[in-house]
């Protein structure tokens, strides 16, 4: 796992867009999480995950024990879904930031109401 993380960090060290990052800052953004080695297909074993916040990717790290080879497969992290506010039958909804129930019809007709 350390070798796989070092490869990702070395890729950023050679990129001019990340010249302002120190080595410690890059290592904070690229984190390896070892997992329990599980045998998978054709002799490859899943040995962990790398979370790369700079690229917004999650990498699965695979190892072939006999060949002593590492392979990383990228998986894009899912975008968080922002839920739509649950509305009541009278079309009001609760706004947590303002800590009150909002009536869209009253807010649209009243110019003095804070939006």
């Amino acid at each position: 796992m350390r070798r796989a993380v070092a490869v990702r960090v070395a890729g950023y060290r050679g990129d001019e867009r990340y010249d302002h990052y120190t080595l410690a800052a890059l290592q904070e953004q690229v984190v390896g999480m070892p997992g329990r080695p599980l045998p998978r297909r054709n002799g490859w074993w899943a040995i962990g995950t790398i979370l790369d916040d700079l690229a917004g990717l999650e990498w699965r790290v695979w190892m072939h024990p006999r060949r002593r080879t590492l392979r990383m497969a990228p998986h894009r992290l899912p975008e968080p879904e922002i839920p739509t506010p649950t509305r009541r039958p009278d079309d009001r909804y609760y706004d947590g930031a303002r800590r009150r129930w909002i009536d869209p019809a009253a807010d649209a007709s009243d110019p003095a109401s804070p939006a």
Side-chain angles (χ1 to χ4, degrees):
M1 275 306 295
R2 279 186 245 151
R3 209 167 84 197
V5 171
V7 167
R8 293 296 311 152
V9 170
Y12 289 123
R13 297 239 6 184
D15 192 343
E16 62 192 31
R17 293 178 294 174
Y18 303 102
D19 282 344
H20 60 282
Y21 281 93
T22 63
L23 177 61
L26 288 173
Q27 289 173 340
E28 282 182 354
Q29 299 294 317
V30 181
V31 179
M33 298 183 332
R36 189 170 155 208
L38 300 172
R40 299 292 179 173
R41 50 192 124 115
N42 299 331
W44 289 93
W45 291 48
I47 61 168
T49 304
I50 294 176
L51 298 176
D52 187 349
D53 282 340
L54 293 173
L57 289 173
E58 179 178 302
W59 297 82
R60 300 271 164 75
V61 181
W62 299 83
M63 181 184 76
H64 198 285
R66 277 188 248 131
R67 295 186 217 158
R68 299 188 52 83
T69 307
L70 288 177
R71 181 182 293 172
M72 294 183 286
H75 294 279
R76 186 147 314 266
L77 298 173
E79 291 291 324
E81 291 183 25
I82 299 173
T84 57
T86 306
R87 295 187 183 266
R88 299 186 80 174
D90 59 356
D91 207 29
R92 291 185 303 154
Y93 64 92
Y94 186 75
D95 185 357
R98 293 189 264 183
R99 296 186 180 179
R100 65 185 181 108
W101 287 93
I102 307 297
D103 185 4
D107 283 350
S109 64
D110 184 15
S113 69

